[in-house]
Amino acid sequence: MPLLTDWVKKAIEPEPSSQQRNCRLPEAGERDEDELLAVRNLSVNVKSSSRPVIEGIDLTVGRGEIVGIVGESGCGKSVLSLSIMGLLPSALKLGGGELRLNGQSLHQASQRQIRSMRGKHMSMIFQDPMTSLNPTLTIGEQLTESLRLHLKLGGREARERAVLWLRRTGLPRPEAILSSYPHQLSGGMRQRVMIAIALCCEPELLIADEPTTALDVTIQAQILDVLFRIREEEQTSILFISHDLGVIAELCDRVAVMYAGQIVEQGTVEELFESPQHPYTIGLMKSIPKPEKKGMRLYAIPGTVPSLHDRGEGCRFQSRCAHAAAICLDAMPALEHRGGSHAVRCFLASGERREMDV
Amino acid sequence: MYWARKSFTLLLTLAFVLLLTFFAFRIIPGNPASAILGMEASQEQISELEQKLGIEGPLHLQFFRWAGGVIQLDFGHSIRFSEPVLSLIASRLPVTLSLAAMSLAITLLVALPLGIAAARARGRFADLFISLTSQLGLAIPSFWMGIVLILVFGLTLKWFTVSTFVPWSENAWLALKSLTLPAIALAVPQIAIVVRYLRTTMLEQMNEDYVRTAKSKGLSNANVYYKHVLRNALIPVVTVVGINFGEILAGSLVIEGVFTLPGMGRLLMTAIGNRDYPLVQGMVLLIAFTVIIINFVVDLSYRWLDPKIRLK
């Protein structure tokens, strides 16, 4: 296990320069001009039991930045994105913490205020393009309604802009597509339509919740290409949610790894992929299929994500971690900076475990 | 192709109804000749009258004679009123049809907003109130509802004059007024059904992904519900309304009795009592035809609501 020995070595002998580099995560209350979305110590609870589904989430998305969130199903990626949009299912509610877009609090905003921001300042594309469009309305109707609402465009202007955006997402014959219904389009085309709907009012933030998961591989690459190109052209910030590390590595500037409702590791793509430190991140990376390992059994992290009721006092990953020690059972490690923008939630990566074990 | 298939099923259904209306009523004992002549009539007198009325000879020959006439839009003469069946029906049909249409309109006008409101207020007081009231509406028979309406709004409050029908051609406003109470009585159970059904389909649709998309655009709740959800939720509701139109028609036959309206209902009762074969057959055929046409309209409205059907 070359990777593992690598990071153990790193953990034991931390880079001398890492302490001098300044941290990218600002403290609460402080605001960076480049910062578009700021999530501070956010938690989302189940309404009936007040149990947190996600907690202690700290995340920043800068202007024009693509930030990836990666993790298994059920780790809270979608809950996080829906909480930013103010679209949490009725069984969940925002708990403590802070949620700011452009410096404006989304946490304290009224329903009406959040609604006026949705589609205009932040918008979202979803996993399943087959069901995310209304089957009874034409593409044109669904595309122009936000243009008419947010930009107050008239019928013709809205149509022209809709055509423009359909073309920008790479759809052929956009005029014909405007008058067609969702079931007449393929999955890839529908996802392009979704992207056009999400971006036509030029929001600062686009949340993409596994936008390529339901599509086949060639279409996936095209959709990623569209997102990347639009980011270059429009400086749109993207919060990109995926369970596919390959996609994340290709597209994102920074990554946060989520596990059981917490961020367990975050940093730039280089930091994370070159020196992953949390055992969960390392496990995820080992489970990427690689051509040189052809014929060998694919690595899988043993066990499953603990359910909401099985989360104990200690580290959430402890039950599946090969390196778990006594302290991991009793105490929750904090998300600690490891130099640069790299932060890890693990005793092993921080000093504490080392002192105790050795 | 669509129209060819539709017309074929329409003709087939009508032929079947034609057969059924003719033979079903002949099975019932009693015949018009003995009904007119009374108990003491001799066999000769009866067969003489039967010949005059055109109901003599083997049944199948009678049927072909009648069916042949129907194809040429000749429904024969009424035995009781000695008038052409068609002109008798033509004088009564507008009353019944406008009553049914009015109660359908009331049903939709009241049930759609209530169903949507109940779905939007799911689990809260408004939802509970609407659901409970609709349960009550479902349990009340419309003839009783009619009597109560007459008592309260006709006799006590005197907002409506009861038991006088003014034809549309004479005074449209008074005609509308005289049909209002019976139409409400007919509509109440229908409203209850549609409200409950629409509430369920709305709630189902609200869990769909496209609703989340609509919300993520920043649309107002009203816009999401009325534009996005309602259209999808209406597709199954239209089926129920279509099926129930037959029920409204049947109900109007009874309610005409309660409000003494000169419609098809009272004519049909008289015709059955007198064993007026041609009249009964003609009316049943016409009612069946109306129901088939309504189902056809329902079919068309699917094509309007659901683009997937439209393009097939």
Side-chain angles (χ1 to χ4, degrees):
Chain A
M1 290 190 285
L3 266 172
L4 202 62
T5 48
D6 256 12
W7 74 249
V8 169
K9 208 160 70 199
K10 270 210 172 92
I12 296 169
E13 308 165 80
E15 287 173 57
S17 62
S18 67
Q19 302 300 329
Q20 281 118 46
R21 260 190 248 166
N22 65 329
C23 299
R24 275 213 51 175
L25 285 181
E27 297 302 309
E30 184 186 327
R31 189 163 106 78
D32 197 327
E33 270 308 302
D34 292 337
E35 166 186 300
L36 176 69
L37 175 76
V39 181
R40 296 278 168 268
N41 198 24
L42 180 79
S43 57
V44 171
N45 301 334
V46 178
K47 241 181 213 165
S48 53
S49 65
S50 307
R51 241 180 234 276
V53 181
I54 58 173
E55 58 185 313
I57 303 289
D58 277 302
L59 189 74
T60 315
V61 180
R63 288 180 197 284
E65 196 179 26
I66 305 186
V67 174
I69 296 181
V70 70
E72 279 164 286
S73 319
C75 68
K77 300 175 302 222
S78 293
V79 171
L80 173 60
S81 55
L82 291 174
S83 69
I84 296 167
M85 290 294 288
L87 290 175
L88 282 175
S90 55
L92 302 179
K93 65 171 197 295
L94 280 180
E98 238 188 303
L99 206 51
R100 288 178 177 281
L101 185 73
N102 260 332
Q104 191 184 342
S105 171
L106 297 174
H107 210 220
Q108 268 113 43
S110 66
Q111 274 299 314
R112 176 183 289 269
Q113 282 171 312
I114 290 199
R115 213 159 46 219
S116 69
M117 296 177 80
R118 278 207 290 261
K120 188 167 189 198
H121 297 290
M122 54 182 180
S123 56
M124 188 160 175
I125 50 179
F126 302 94
Q127 184 171 344
D128 193 351
M130 305 309 269
T131 57
S132 292
L133 290 164
N134 190 333
T136 58
L137 297 174
T138 60
I139 300 298
E141 184 54 49
Q142 299 186 57
L143 186 48
T144 52
E145 67 182 342
S146 39
L147 290 169
R148 280 181 274 130
L149 176 74
H150 293 299
L151 306 183
K152 310 275 180 269
L153 295 185
R156 246 192 64 204
E157 290 168 294
R159 265 186 91 82
E160 279 165 14
R161 205 180 160 94
V163 166
L164 182 88
W165 271 98
L166 287 177
R167 193 170 286 132
R168 288 189 77 174
T169 61
L171 278 167
R173 300 187 303 117
E175 290 87 358
I177 284 176
L178 275 191
S179 53
S180 46
Y181 287 91
H183 69 273
Q184 295 168 289
L185 308 180
S186 69
M189 290 165 91
R190 289 190 216 183
Q191 197 60 297
R192 287 174 202 265
V193 169
M194 283 296 292
I195 293 175
I197 289 176
L199 293 176
C200 61
C201 297
E202 295 176 3
E204 291 99 318
L205 177 69
L206 172 70
I207 300 175
D209 188 357
E210 309 215 23
T212 59
T213 307
L215 305 172
D216 63 58
V217 184
T218 47
I219 307 295
Q220 273 188 24
Q222 293 171 9
I223 295 291
L224 293 180
D225 184 58
V226 170
L227 288 178
F228 201 78
R229 200 157 36 80
I230 285 170
R231 194 275 296 254
E232 295 296 298
E233 291 165 9
E234 300 284 330
Q235 285 297 298
T236 311
S237 306
I238 303 177
L239 187 62
F240 190 90
I241 293 163
S242 179
H243 59 250
D244 186 339
L245 277 173
V247 170
I248 294 267
E250 213 174 297
L251 189 72
C252 298
D253 304 314
R254 285 192 303 118
V255 194
V257 180
M258 276 188 83
Y259 185 79
Q262 292 176 320
I263 290 178
V264 293
E265 183 163 5
Q266 65 178 357
T268 63
V269 165
E270 294 78 34
E271 285 167 336
L272 213 85
F273 279 80
E274 279 164 23
S275 63
Q277 298 198 8
H278 196 283
Y280 179 61
T281 317
I282 294 163
L284 280 183
M285 289 187 184
K286 285 207 302 192
S287 43
I288 303 173
K290 290 187 186 77
E292 63 266 24
K293 292 200 178 163
K294 191 171 182 248
M296 288 161 70
R297 209 183 159 79
L298 189 63
Y299 177 79
I301 305 172
T304 51
V305 186
S307 77
L308 207 51
H309 305 277
D310 297 334
R311 291 177 184 172
E313 292 285 299
C315 169
R316 299 263 162 87
F317 190 61
Q318 152 272 125
S319 59
R320 302 170 73 184
C321 181
H323 312 280
I327 185 174
C328 304
L329 254 164
D330 300 331
M332 172 74 71
L335 190 64
E336 283 182 13
H337 292 288
R338 306 295 306 150
S341 63
H342 205 166
V344 185
R345 189 190 287 280
C346 180
F347 290 123
L348 199 61
S350 73
E352 290 165 59
R353 244 307 275 291
R354 218 165 54 230
E355 283 151 28
M356 298 179 73
D357 283 359
V358 180
Chain B
M1 188 56 222
Y2 172 80
W3 293 101
R5 210 177 53 225
K6 265 291 162 220
S7 327
F8 179 71
T9 15
L10 181 88
L11 285 177
L12 206 69
T13 321
L14 277 180
F16 187 69
V17 170
L18 205 68
L19 260 166
L20 208 67
T21 40
F22 183 86
F23 288 102
F25 201 56
R26 300 296 165 116
I27 292 169
I28 307 170
N31 84 49
S34 53
I36 292 168
L37 294 170
M39 300 285 274
E40 283 89 37
S42 69
Q43 191 55 47
E44 287 89 53
Q45 284 174 303
I46 289 177
S47 28
E48 196 188 334
L49 188 59
E50 275 182 348
Q51 203 151 13
K52 232 173 99 193
L53 296 173
I55 51 169
E56 87 289 0
L59 266 186
H60 66 275
L61 287 183
Q62 284 188 41
F63 173 72
F64 285 123
R65 210 156 50 218
W66 177 62
V70 167
I71 289 168
Q72 299 162 48
L73 290 181
D74 174 16
F75 290 80
H77 269 65
S78 157
I79 294 170
R80 166 77 170 75
F81 297 97
S82 40
E83 230 184 287
V85 167
L86 216 52
S87 69
L88 267 173
I89 292 177
S91 68
R92 306 299 187 95
L93 193 63
V95 180
T96 303
L97 273 191
S98 50
L99 180 59
M102 242 178 103
S103 81
L104 184 68
I106 293 173
T107 302
L108 294 180
L109 279 176
V110 177
L112 293 187
L114 278 185
I116 295 166
R120 287 181 68 168
R122 181 190 199 167
R124 293 203 299 273
F125 177 75
D127 177 28
L128 231 64
F129 182 75
I130 292 170
S131 296
L132 272 175
T133 326
S134 69
Q135 185 88 56
L136 201 67
L138 212 54
I140 296 173
S142 36
F143 72 87
W144 186 82
M145 189 73 202
I147 293 169
V148 172
L149 286 176
I150 291 175
L151 199 66
V152 176
F153 295 101
L155 301 180
T156 312
L157 294 172
K158 297 199 192 305
W159 291 356
F160 296 90
T161 43
V162 185
S163 296
T164 46
F165 177 73
V166 185
W168 289 98
S169 50
E170 225 168 84
N171 186 329
W173 168 244
L174 287 181
L176 192 75
K177 226 177 141 184
S178 57
L179 285 177
T180 305
L181 286 187
I184 291 174
L186 265 178
V188 166
Q190 299 301 323
I191 291 171
I193 294 169
V194 175
V195 163
R196 297 170 77 80
Y197 208 74
L198 182 62
R199 176 185 178 274
T200 313
T201 57
M202 288 279 291
L203 287 177
E204 271 169 23
Q205 289 294 325
M206 269 146 71
N207 291 324
E208 294 290 325
D209 286 348
Y210 70 83
V211 176
R212 196 178 52 187
T213 308
K215 285 183 183 167
S216 79
K217 291 177 194 170
L219 301 181
S220 66
N221 281 341
N223 212 333
V224 170
Y225 284 100
Y226 280 91
K227 185 169 166 190
H228 285 267
V229 180
L230 181 61
R231 214 182 154 99
N232 286 282
L234 271 184
I235 296 170
V237 171
V238 164
T239 316
V240 172
V241 173
I243 291 170
N244 279 10
F245 190 81
E247 207 135 298
I248 292 181
L249 218 54
S252 65
L253 300 185
V254 177
I255 226 68
E256 278 168 15
V258 176
F259 285 86
T260 55
L261 294 172
M264 300 270 284
R266 275 167 67 204
L267 186 62
L268 190 61
M269 294 302 162
T270 322
I272 293 172
N274 288 292
R275 296 289 185 275
D276 194 340
Y277 293 148
L279 187 52
V280 173
Q281 285 160 196
M283 289 177 78
V284 172
L285 198 63
L286 191 87
I287 291 169
F289 182 71
T290 314
V291 171
I292 292 170
I293 291 297
I294 292 298
N295 279 325
F296 182 62
V297 172
V298 166
D299 224 70
L300 284 181
S301 68
Y302 280 147
R303 293 156 75 80
W304 173 69
L305 280 170
D306 190 347
K308 282 186 210 166
I309 296 176
R310 199 180 315 167
L311 290 145
K312 253 173 213 161

